[in-house]
Amino acid sequence: MFVNGYRCFSCDTTQPTDFGHYTCPKCGGNLDVTYDYHQMERETGRERMIHAGRPDIFRYAPLLPVESLRLTSPLRVGMTPLYAAERLGLSIGLRHVLLKDDGLNPSASFKDRAGALALVIAREAGSEVIAAASTGNAGSSMAYLAASVGMPCVIFVPETAPAAKITQLLVFGARVLAVRGSYDDAYGLCRKVCEQRGWFNRNTGYNPFTREGKKTCSYEICEHLGWHTPDRIVVPTGDGNIISGIWKGLRDLLAVGLINRLPKVDCAQSIASSAISQTIWSLRRLNLQPKAIKWSDVKVNPVRAATLADSISVDEPSDGIAAVRAVIESGGEAVAVTDEEILAAIPELARMAGVFAEPAAAATWACLKKMVAEQMVSPDERIVCLITGNGLKDIANARKVAGEPTVIDPTVEAADAALEISGL
């Protein structure tokens, strides 16, 4: 393992490898796992950084903070497809749109990446119980992974989490605590209970290893493209941990020489949950170069989130500073759209690219459309939209825009009449 310590995203204070806490002791900020890339290249060699025989995220083991692969779950996580969505892209004048469909992970969510790595870290630490707060996806991911190795799992969810997601949690055998309040209330309670009971806390952002699992998506995108990078990756953003992970993975690949340039990373949000975007817009108005920003002075002010895209509905982003840094440092955009635009994106993705996305995941396409309308992108850019969750996670909202079936009598004449109306 090539981890050489931890660095705070806010104040840049470093900690040694044996630091046994989740956050910065100086300012309380989130920590980034750091690596000795020179030693990694020297001892591993660039050509051996990829374990081609593994069909999961642990094919990138030298770039991950794991001691041994024997404690991984037996279930496959990662290596999801990267689809060329030509018809979809051309509908808005873009020639090279790709969809990274992480809804095809085992629990139908991107969050499996973080959970798979967190499970290994928890088992290496000898933890007896793993816990997490979630709007549904991170929890169901952790529940199924814990079940695969027989580890007790406790998930805190807001009482309003979609029924399909809560059902997943219960089916996998997790102890589910539905908190009367928001995701942020569930998050805070989970943290307190874990501290009191000594449980492993998988909470997004707070636990630095969640970012390490999520960064593997960047590795896969670049590997799919022959170790070339796209021009942009559009990322649905709520608490900020996915977009910070995407940026971390890209920087890893550049550091070890597997890619030779960095793409822009774009933040896609709902207007009704746009704390990170608002912070980015404020910083951009100052016209500062990224290196001139004093990150310890930057605050992501909370909002009262009210979006129907539950997976990105967050009052106070738990990985906000890291997310803001990812967009600013990459030169990406921060875009926010209405819930109506997000819902409209669901059938467009399905009907023009064959991908069924939950609302949070569909936000990337909705935001890319807005970026085109506002001339933020050019027609020849190669752009990846990250699809983070399958539409079956939230059927209720999909039905709002899917339309209704035509009810007919069981006769050929009735079928012909209905089909004629449809123009078929």
Side-chain angles (χ1 to χ4, degrees), residues 383-403:
I383 302 169
V384 175
C385 285
L386 186 51
I387 306 300
T388 48
N390 190 278
L392 293 173
K393 294 274 192 172
D394 190 352
I395 289 295
N397 277 310
R399 283 301 302 270
K400 294 175 182 177
V401 288

Side-chain angles (χ1 to χ4, degrees), residues 112-168:
D112 290 354
R113 296 177 183 275
L117 189 66
L119 181 66
V120 177
I121 302 297
R123 298 182 78 195
E124 286 182 347
S127 301
E128 295 183 357
V129 178
I130 192 164
S134 172
T135 57
N137 280 341
S140 59
S141 169
M142 199 68 257
Y144 104 86
L145 286 159
S148 75
V149 298
M151 188 172 191
C153 179
V154 179
I155 305 297
F156 297 75
V157 299
E159 192 178 24
T160 56
K165 296 181 180 181
I166 291 180
T167 300
Q168 271 193 306

Side-chain angles (χ1 to χ4, degrees), residues 193-274:
V193 172
C194 286
E195 289 172 353
Q196 183 184 73
R197 292 175 173 256
W199 291 350
F200 185 87
N201 187 340
R202 174 251 181 265
N203 273 1
T204 291
Y206 177 70
N207 186 321
F209 297 109
T210 60
R211 191 180 303 106
E212 299 304 297
K214 292 175 182 178
K215 73 182 184 181
T216 59
C217 185
S218 291
Y219 301 167
E220 290 175 21
I221 290 170
C222 294
E223 185 177 2
H224 284 311
L225 296 175
W227 300 111
H228 296 289
T229 58
D231 296 297
R232 295 179 180 273
I233 303 176
V234 188
V235 184
T237 305
D239 55 37
N241 196 234
I242 294 179
I243 197 167
S244 71
I246 293 295
W247 183 232
K248 172 70 179 291
L250 293 165
R251 290 185 291 114
D252 281 351
L253 295 181
L254 185 70
V256 299
L258 284 171
I259 60 174
N260 58 21
R261 71 180 184 101
L262 292 169
K264 296 175 180 178
V265 179
D266 301 311
C267 167
Q269 293 201 288
S270 165
I271 287 173
S273 181
S274 57

Side-chain angles (χ1 to χ4, degrees), residues 369-420:
K369 289 172 64 181
K370 185 172 183 177
M371 291 165 68
V372 170
E374 297 184 1
Q375 299 183 325
M376 296 178 180
V377 298
S378 66
D380 289 320
E381 288 187 67
R382 182 187 282 177
I383 302 169
V384 175
C385 285
L386 186 51
I387 306 300
T388 48
N390 190 278
L392 293 173
K393 294 274 192 172
D394 190 352
I395 289 295
N397 277 310
R399 283 301 302 270
K400 294 175 182 177
V401 288
E404 294 296 332
T406 301
V407 180
I408 63 170
D409 291 326
T411 66
V412 172
E413 292 76 15
D416 285 341
L419 292 172
E420 187 174 347

